[in-house]
Amino acid sequence: MKINRPIIALDFPDREHAVRFLDRFPQDEHLFVKIGMEMYYGEGQDFVREVIARGHDVFLDLKLHDIPHTVHAAARVLGKLGVQLTTVHAAGGQEMMAAAKEGLLDGAAGQRIPQVLAITQLTSTSEEQMHREQLIQASLQESVLNYARVAQQAGMDGVVCSAHEAAAIAAATAPDFMRVTPGIRLAGGAVGDQKRVMTPDQAAANQSSAIVVGRAITQADDPVAAYRLVKKLWEE
Ligand code: C5P
């Protein structure tokens, strides 16, 4: 399953900046935006509801990781919001991931049930660090693939991963298991703190199911034009 619209990472310091960004788009443009910890902790559920009320789809990226009972309770709260996508850490285990799914289902109470993506190894984790701190002796790629399989068995809808890993994950999991990939840049754009980047068309060729694009759109001189360009490259 491919999500046709690029998902815009709404990484802003506060509601005012985020709304100013959204206001640049035509009112009837249905965007898919990612709300992360910074905006959620700062502006809370009211902001999520406001974005949905504006007609946008929301990927609420809070990366839950706790004991299954606590994650179930937290996911039940999030299930009521009407978001499309959420995230949990695969490192929390299959029981925890399944509890998240159940909690979302309970919370949604017949409304739209959010899909859940698993975080495998954070892209900020190096192989050396994984060996040293997690005592995982496999390669980073093997660990990512293992977590993807474990997440699929737990009933997750996909993983967040680097576009560089998408094809390998596609080969190791079912066709409808999603590969949602950040770290996207336009050719010639600033790389910033991302270490391994791909353009939207390269990500599509490498079997990403959806792309998450932040600064290449939000920090562009003309964000709407940048969005249209990313969308065109991704769709083609
Ligand atoms: O600005 P940029 O396009 O790099 O933003 C990417 C977004 O995706 C940010 O919200 C970042 O936190 C998120 N992300 C990431 N790498 C991951 C997981 C999430 O860049 N592995």
Side-chain angles (χ1 to χ4, degrees):
M1 191 187 79
K2 185 173 169 183
I3 298 179
N4 285 323
R5 287 165 297 169
I7 301 173
I8 304 173
L10 216 50
D11 295 328
F12 291 101
D14 54 34
R15 175 190 172 273
E16 199 187 324
H17 285 83
V19 166
R20 204 179 301 151
F21 169 79
L22 292 173
D23 280 344
R24 300 179 81 127
F25 289 84
Q27 274 209 346
D28 60 353
E29 178 114 28
H30 299 308
L31 301 172
F32 203 141
V33 300
K34 181 171 88 69
I35 297 176
M37 291 187 214
E38 184 183 10
M39 283 299 297
Y40 188 76
Y41 290 151
E43 304 290 349
Q45 298 203 336
D46 286 348
F47 178 67
V48 178
R49 290 200 192 91
E50 180 182 354
V51 172
I52 293 171
R54 281 171 167 253
H56 305 309
D57 289 318
V58 173
F59 169 9
L60 188 56
D61 183 20
L62 299 180
K63 300 186 172 67
L64 305 185
H65 190 174
D66 207 319
I67 58 171
H69 179 78
T70 302
V71 166
H72 182 278
R76 205 150 76 83
V77 175
L78 301 183
K80 295 181 182 143
L81 278 171
V83 301
Q84 292 271 14
L85 273 177
T86 60
T87 47
V88 297
H89 272 281
Q94 286 193 327
E95 199 188 325
M96 187 211 76
M97 288 189 267
K101 187 104 197 172
E102 252 176 58
L104 290 168
L105 188 75
D106 285 357
Q111 305 297 312
R112 180 168 71 188
I113 304 156
Q115 292 188 295
V116 199
L117 304 172
I119 308 297
T120 60
Q121 291 287 354
L122 291 169
T123 46
S124 54
T125 302
S126 69
E127 188 163 273
E128 187 272 326
Q129 185 186 359
M130 182 189 78
H131 290 162
R132 183 166 38 86
E133 295 180 9
Q134 301 178 25
L135 291 182
I136 293 174
Q137 296 311 325
S139 70
L140 192 65
Q141 157 113 339
E142 279 166 338
S143 175
V144 167
L145 287 179
N146 176 56
Y147 271 141
R149 286 191 210 97
V150 165
Q152 180 175 253
Q153 282 163 13
M156 300 298 94
D157 299 287
V159 286
V160 179
C161 63
S162 155
H164 292 267
E165 295 158 352
I169 292 172
T173 55
D176 62 347
F177 189 73
M178 287 189 285
R179 301 156 301 275
V180 177
T181 62
I184 303 295
R185 292 292 179 270
L186 287 167
V191 171
D193 56 354
Q194 296 280 15
K195 294 196 172 61
R196 295 157 75 224
V197 299
M198 272 200 190
T199 58
D201 42 322
Q202 286 170 339
N206 218 40
Q207 300 185 52
S208 291
S209 319
I211 50 172
V212 175
V213 189
R215 287 161 289 181
I217 294 173
T218 56
Q219 306 295 315
D221 291 336
D222 184 344
V224 177
Y227 174 72
R228 303 241 184 280
L229 175 59
V230 168
K231 189 164 187 285
K232 183 166 165 277
L233 291 167
W234 168 243
E235 280 175 341
E236 280 173 3

